[in-house]
Amino acid sequence: MEPSTAQKDVIKYSLADITKYFLKLGALGFGGPVALVGYMHRDLVEQRQWISEDEYREGLALAQLAPGPLAAQLGIYLGYVHYGVWGATLTGLSFVLPSFIMVVLLGMAYKVYGGLPWMQSVFYGVGSAVIGIITLSCYKLTLKSVSKIEPEAIKSRWLLWVFFLAMAVVTAILEREEVWLFILLGFVYMAVKAPPKWMQKKGNALSAILLTGTGFWQFHPGKLVQLGLFFTEAGAFVFGSGLAIIPFLQAGVVNQMGWLNEQQFLDSVAVAMITPGPVVITVGFIGFLVSGFAGAAVAALGVFFPCFVFTVLPAPYFKKIAKNASIKAFVDGITAAVVGALVGSVFVIATRSIVDVPSAIIAILTVLALIYIKKIQEPYIILVAAIVGFCIKTFS
């Protein structure tokens, strides 16, 4: 969709300009979804004034309401604002492409050197640091998605806390996630807080429709189909931060499919932490380990395509959708359940990854560093943890 002549007089940038911006952000934007969303506001709203405050807020609201990685969805929406589907497509691709290339290259190195003692020593420390990073992220996501830990806040959103705790316990015990449970809890919360008209009619009951050295060219057609289906499901049903996808990935690729072991999964999360762009790009690394470059491409496409669809399709009608209390309640219910599952999955991963006192200390120090050292970014912590892990394993 090209802007009209009247629009062109107002628009301060070209399609090439915003594409270049997101290519740069994808290549240099560290810090996770919250930081990336902040960079977009600073650069596009405050400094360059390409996007208005209202347009930015609408995009952020849509990104929070729809499933998929938050930062990528916001980027897609901002590309759509003045340049329609072409803008959304190019900004989405340019945002994801740099980090995708990086994780594929890291995947190649991992396949070559992953079995060597020095590589295992490096990831010994990195894995513990990742546990600390995810633990603190769980806490922040809980405050944002469920409520603050204050008596009045808990009392007003007690049902979300029930969903959160229930899914944390279920995930910790079963070591897997059931998508139908997330959807069911979303419908339950919608029915309680803001039932749509069709639920209020007499006789209607609540129902949910469940819904080569490096292995670069090596792939198995059957596994590609499995990868595509699994990662599309993850992309279509995970709301909020990119870290919220971890329960799906951990349960699917480790426990159910057996594609990776626990340490390889932690390493893949670490790779996402040390590369710029959306955290969820870890799926590209996982896909590469499972089935080479084809697996990386299929996994990334599976996660990001639903995100693109769920952003572009409602974009023209979003102002009306955003005010729908029933939809907001449905998303609130699902989000609380997903964050609870994230907490449960972190517990499962931690029990297998924190294997001794040094690894526990690294995890604890990571949390403390993130809390008390202002503006420190995850890649620096992971670099220090890698060095510490190498030293511990080499000299002990």
Side-chain angles (χ1 to χ4, degrees):
M1 181 185 79
E2 284 294 322
S4 66
T5 304
Q7 284 179 312
K8 285 180 179 178
D9 293 336
V10 178
I11 299 172
K12 300 178 180 180
Y13 63 96
S14 66
L15 181 55
D17 289 334
I18 197 165
T19 301
K20 288 176 186 175
Y21 169 78
F22 276 99
L23 192 63
K24 182 179 178 182
L25 183 64
L28 302 175
F30 287 97
V34 175
L36 291 170
V37 165
Y39 297 151
M40 291 181 211
H41 185 270
R42 179 197 66 192
D43 299 336
L44 300 179
V45 179
E46 296 177 355
Q47 295 182 358
R48 307 187 190 193
Q49 297 183 346
W50 290 356
I51 303 293
S52 72
E53 188 71 43
D54 287 342
E55 289 165 342
Y56 177 87
R57 287 178 180 173
E58 287 167 10
L60 187 58
L62 176 57
Q64 290 173 323
L65 282 174
L70 180 69
Q73 280 179 298
L74 178 58
I76 290 170
Y77 184 87
L78 297 181
Y80 182 90
V81 167
H82 292 134
Y83 289 97
V85 174
W86 270 113
T89 304
L90 291 176
T91 55
L93 285 174
S94 58
F95 185 40
V96 172
L97 189 60
S99 53
F100 175 76
I101 292 172
M102 290 179 200
V103 297
V104 167
L105 293 174
L106 287 169
M108 293 166 65
Y110 189 87
K111 277 202 168 184
V112 172
Y113 300 111
L116 299 181
W118 71 267
M119 190 78 160
Q120 295 171 358
S121 299
V122 165
F123 277 103
Y124 164 81
V126 167
S128 301
V130 168
I131 293 295
I133 291 170
I134 300 175
T135 299
L136 187 61
S137 297
C138 284
Y139 175 72
K140 291 179 179 178
L141 277 173
T142 301
L143 296 184
K144 181 179 178 181
S145 304
V146 185
S147 80
K148 293 181 179 179
I149 305 178
E150 298 171 352
E152 285 302 316
I154 294 174
K155 184 178 179 181
S156 65
R157 297 171 72 88
W158 66 270
L159 187 55
L160 290 181
W161 277 102
V162 170
F163 292 171
F164 169 85
L165 294 172
M167 288 307 304
V169 172
V170 167
T171 303
I173 294 174
L174 299 182
E175 300 186 6
R176 68 174 186 270
E177 287 72 40
E178 302 291 348
V179 172
W180 67 268
L181 266 179
F182 296 138
I183 298 172
L184 177 62
L185 293 178
F187 273 110
V188 169
Y189 197 69
M190 179 174 69
V192 172
K193 296 296 290 185
K197 292 180 181 179
W198 60 268
M199 280 188 180
Q200 298 173 21
K201 291 180 181 178
K202 208 170 183 179
N204 276 347
L206 174 64
S207 62
I209 301 175
L210 303 180
L211 311 176
T212 146
T214 63
F216 191 88
W217 298 116
Q218 295 175 1
F219 69 92
H220 305 284
K223 277 191 177 178
L224 286 183
V225 173
Q226 289 180 317
L227 280 166
L229 292 174
F230 173 75
F231 285 106
T232 300
E233 179 184 27
F237 291 104
V238 175
F239 291 77
S241 164
L243 287 174
I245 203 171
I246 286 176
F248 284 90
L249 301 185
Q250 191 267 342
V253 305
V254 178
N255 299 334
Q256 295 172 16
M257 303 297 188
W259 290 330
L260 304 182
N261 59 40
E262 202 75 49
Q263 186 58 52
Q264 288 173 322
F265 176 74
L266 265 182
D267 296 347
S268 70
V269 177
V271 164
M273 297 286 184
I274 62 175
T275 53
V279 173
V280 77
I281 200 60
T282 185
V283 301
F285 185 84
I286 293 171
F288 187 88
L289 295 188
V290 175
S291 207
F293 178 76
V298 167
L301 181 63
V303 164
F304 285 104
F305 184 70
C307 151
F308 176 84
V309 171
F310 288 131
T311 302
V312 169
L313 287 185
Y317 319 101
F318 181 64
K319 287 187 179 181
K320 184 177 180 181
I321 295 173
K323 296 176 183 177
N324 189 301
S326 299
I327 291 177
K328 283 185 177 179
F330 176 70
V331 172
D332 285 345
I334 287 184
T335 303
V338 168
V339 175
L342 177 57
V343 171
S345 69
V346 171
F347 174 80
V348 172
I349 298 170
T351 57
R352 297 174 183 173
S353 304
I354 307 297
V355 294
D356 51 26
V357 173
S359 59
I361 291 173
I362 292 172
I364 293 169
L365 289 177
T366 297
V367 174
L368 294 176
L370 287 170
I371 293 173
Y372 293 108
I373 302 177
K374 300 300 181 184
K375 296 184 179 180
I376 191 169
Q377 294 184 340
E378 287 88 345
Y380 298 119
I381 291 177
I382 288 177
L383 177 61
V384 171
I387 296 170
V388 171
F390 178 78
C391 293
I392 289 173
K393 286 295 187 180
T394 302
F395 301 112
S396 62

